Amino acid sequence: MRPPQYARFDVAPISKRRLRWELAIVLALSFGYAGVQSIITILRRLSQETALASQTATINRPLAEQPLFDLAYQLLGFVGELAPVALVAYLLWRTAAPHLGNLGLGRLPGRGGRWWLADTGWGVVLAAAIGIPGLAFYLFSRIIGINANVVPTALDAYWWTVPVLILSALRAALGEELIVVAYFFDRMRRLGVGPISTIVSSALLRGSYHLYQGIGAFIGNVVMGLLFGWVYHRWGRSLPLIIAHWLLNIVSFVGYPLALLLWPTLFEVAP
């Protein structure tokens, strides 16, 4: 089954020079910038006397001491970090339905109105296929000392903590899959780059902005990126990737306190 053909039409011609500038600007506003920052962070970590395995990388942290201000900052961060997603949706918007077809979203030609059910189902399958091996590889990378101890959340327990963590998981899923995969693939194809080079480039980009967690996180996310890239190239659908990524993040963010309680020796913060 080839990617849906609507992804190849209904786009205004743009010069390759302009496409390169556009791609550079979008990445500078999003994950390209995060990748460079993450590379600097891992170099700083490796230069310290403390072993990498004894260091900690926290994903969701408090942004203010007062709970209501913390909530306000968390929600503002959610909205602000979705701005690049809105930008790529605007850049790839189609005049004809499905309007977000160039991002792999919307009803396929000849399909019914419940297209999202099949996409969601495949997302759940993809999450299950990645989740268990991913956790095993994380623990292995901690044992051999190539990864920091990743703390998914350091937020205090408030009434809004779980909803905010679910939104944070969604923010990451939308941003990574719609920019690093869907948008990136569209622009690389229009620049004349082949599918293999595009898949590898996308996977390396995904790995780069996870380097702040350690070498293991880089390797694991590159493997995930290769799989997600192949799936997107094969079927041209981004919702399964978003669902899979969202579920994995929810389990990681929300389930971390429970995992810490049940298996403290595996997930405790190193001294």
Side-chain angles (χ1 to χ4, degrees):
M1 180 179 178
R2 295 183 179 278
Q5 292 302 303
Y6 62 66
R8 300 183 180 277
F9 297 101
D10 194 35
V11 287
I14 306 175
S15 69
K16 289 188 176 182
R17 180 181 180 184
R18 187 177 182 88
L19 279 175
R20 293 189 190 98
W21 275 107
E22 179 197 290
L23 182 60
I25 291 171
V26 169
L27 292 181
L29 292 172
S30 57
F31 295 100
Y33 171 84
V36 173
Q37 187 179 51
S38 193
I39 292 171
I40 295 173
T41 299
I42 190 61
L43 292 175
R44 177 179 60 82
R45 287 186 181 277
L46 294 174
S47 68
Q48 296 177 359
E49 294 183 1
T50 304
L52 181 60
S54 298
Q55 299 180 37
T56 300
T58 304
I59 299 177
N60 295 287
R61 62 179 70 244
L63 300 177
E65 293 183 358
Q66 304 96 321
L68 288 181
F69 283 105
D70 192 7
L71 173 61
Y73 280 125
Q74 298 290 345
L75 294 177
L76 184 63
F78 173 78
V79 174
E81 290 190 26
L82 285 183
V85 178
L87 174 61
V88 299
Y90 175 81
L91 292 171
L92 270 66
W93 184 267
R94 301 174 71 247
T95 56
H99 300 296
L100 293 177
N102 293 330
L103 284 174
L105 295 170
R107 181 173 61 87
L108 285 167
R111 297 282 184 89
R114 296 185 178 181
W115 54 270
W116 52 272
L117 282 175
D119 281 0
T120 300
W122 281 113
V124 173
V125 172
L126 199 55
I130 293 173
I132 296 176
L135 177 59
F137 181 74
Y138 165 72
L139 295 175
F140 173 73
S141 66
R142 291 275 293 134
I143 291 171
I144 64 175
I146 63 171
N147 217 80
N149 180 56
V150 179
V151 177
T153 177
L155 296 178
D156 292 325
Y158 302 114
W159 64 267
W160 49 262
T161 301
V162 171
V164 162
L165 289 175
I166 292 175
L167 285 177
S168 177
L170 178 62
R171 173 188 64 193
L174 288 173
E176 293 187 44
E177 307 315 327
L178 292 181
I179 295 176
V180 178
V181 179
Y183 167 79
F184 187 80
F185 273 54
D186 180 272
R187 275 6 195 181
M188 293 291 275
R189 177 183 58 80
R190 297 183 67 184
L191 285 171
V193 179
I196 294 178
S197 296
T198 299
I199 292 172
V200 172
S201 299
S202 174
L204 290 174
L205 174 59
R206 186 188 296 266
S208 71
Y209 54 80
H210 287 94
L211 260 172
Y212 74 97
Q213 300 174 7
I215 307 301
F218 171 79
I219 296 172
N221 278 278
V222 167
V223 173
M224 177 179 171
L226 291 172
L227 176 60
F228 275 30
W230 179 83
V231 169
Y232 187 77
H233 170 69
R234 187 75 173 81
W235 287 285
R237 307 295 295 165
S238 57
L239 185 57
L241 310 185
I242 295 170
I243 295 295
H245 197 150
W246 192 17
L247 289 176
L248 291 170
N249 283 355
I250 289 175
V251 171
S252 174
F253 295 172
V254 179
Y256 175 73
L258 179 61
L260 187 61
L261 179 65
L262 295 177
W263 303 287
T265 57
L266 292 178
F267 296 98
E268 64 183 356
V269 177

